[in-house]
Amino acid sequence: MVVPTRLPLVRRRCHACASERFRASGKFRVNANHKLIDAWLLALCTVCGETAKLTVLERMTVRSVRPELLDRLHHNDPGLTAELLQDPAVRRRNRIALDWDNAWRLDTGRSDHLDREVVDVSVRLTARIPVRPARLIAEGCGLPRAEVERLITEGRIVSAVALSGRLSSNFAFTLKRSALPRTTGLPGMVRRTGPSPDPRRPRWTVPRSRGPSPGSSRRSWAGASRRGRR
């Protein structure tokens, strides 16, 4: 499960210092003019503190706005801030994007089932956070990122959705561990099977040489020996 740890930053250019990140203050400004109402979410520049107004309501008639929404605006409801930042209509109206870097965490819960040969995993996002599936799989399964990308290419990690790029919705995947290498050794070493007779000895051994191949090299050695005895 992917869970937000804080509100995302707002990607918008600051006219005062040219910074490109704002932090939502959680406060709203509401202005009523006769029967029309405007509302903005206030955001602060992360560098200079300049205030920017993100339009929530624009020239709306008071009767067309739900009383519950008006109440939440007047009380600076923190939950409303998170909802509005993830509202595609609000982002399009204000021409902004969200920066979710370091604003979420992965909660795997019980992960003892990951030792099975074939693992079916469902990933749920509690918010529309754009994440890279390969990163989530690597972190949740304890595998290097490069190894996960290789397994995706080889078809050992499969999903009904494309695992490349970013996703912001729930997805599921299957990990086939039966073909994964359990460990690696040094070049020229082989793995011994069965219990080790001595736990102090390493389980990796260097294969013994079988000597020269029959036919050529062995005959040359024997011929040299006979010539030496003559």
Side-chain angles (χ1 to χ4, degrees):
M1 181 186 302
V2 178
V3 183
T5 56
R6 61 168 175 80
L7 291 175
L9 297 180
V10 177
R11 299 180 61 181
R12 172 174 173 163
R13 191 172 186 84
C14 178
H15 298 292
C17 70
S19 171
E20 296 184 351
R21 297 293 186 276
F22 280 78
R23 179 178 291 104
S25 67
K27 296 182 179 180
F28 297 91
R29 182 175 295 174
V30 181
N31 182 29
N33 184 9
H34 300 290
K35 296 181 179 180
L36 300 178
I37 188 172
D38 296 278
W40 301 272
L41 170 62
L42 304 182
L44 305 176
C45 176
T46 58
V47 176
C48 68
E50 179 74 8
T51 301
K53 296 191 299 183
L54 305 181
T55 302
V56 178
L57 300 176
E58 186 175 18
R59 310 299 290 173
M60 298 282 293
T61 59
V62 177
R63 291 184 177 180
S64 65
V65 181
R66 293 180 291 107
E68 177 189 356
L69 177 58
L70 286 176
D71 185 65
R72 298 178 72 183
L73 289 170
H74 285 298
H75 289 84
N76 296 321
D77 187 342
L80 180 60
T81 300
E83 294 174 15
L84 292 174
L85 288 178
Q86 298 183 62
D87 188 341
V90 173
R91 296 203 301 268
R92 285 195 302 267
R93 182 185 298 122
N94 293 275
R95 298 180 180 179
I96 61 173
L98 302 181
D99 182 358
W100 282 98
D101 288 348
N102 301 318
W104 57 271
R105 63 179 173 85
L106 177 63
D107 185 5
T108 58
R110 296 181 57 187
S111 57
D112 51 353
H113 62 282
L114 295 178
D115 293 334
R116 300 173 183 172
E117 295 296 328
V118 178
V119 185
D120 293 316
V121 181
S122 297
V123 181
R124 185 166 68 91
L125 282 71
T126 59
R128 294 187 62 84
I129 304 174
V131 295
R132 295 188 180 277
R135 176 183 174 183
L136 293 182
I137 296 172
E139 184 175 343
C141 297
L143 296 172
R145 176 76 174 273
E147 179 73 6
V148 170
E149 294 177 351
R150 184 180 66 83
L151 295 176
I152 293 175
T153 303
E154 295 178 355
R156 301 182 192 177
I157 296 180
V158 295
S159 175
V161 299
L163 297 178
S164 59
R166 294 178 181 268
L167 291 176
S168 57
S169 58
N170 302 340
F171 69 96
F173 67 92
T174 299
L175 169 63
K176 303 174 183 178
R177 300 184 70 95
S178 57
L180 293 181
R182 297 185 179 276
T183 184
T184 56
L186 297 176
M189 305 182 77
V190 297
R191 180 78 170 179
R192 291 208 307 266
T193 58
S196 176
D198 188 350
R200 294 172 298 178
R201 297 181 59 188
R203 295 184 60 85
W204 292 98
T205 59
V206 179
R208 297 178 180 178
S209 174
R210 297 181 179 180
S213 59
S216 59
S217 57
R218 181 172 295 177
R219 285 195 297 268
S220 63
W221 291 352
S225 177
R226 287 194 297 270
R227 288 194 298 270
R229 288 195 297 268
R230 293 175 184 176

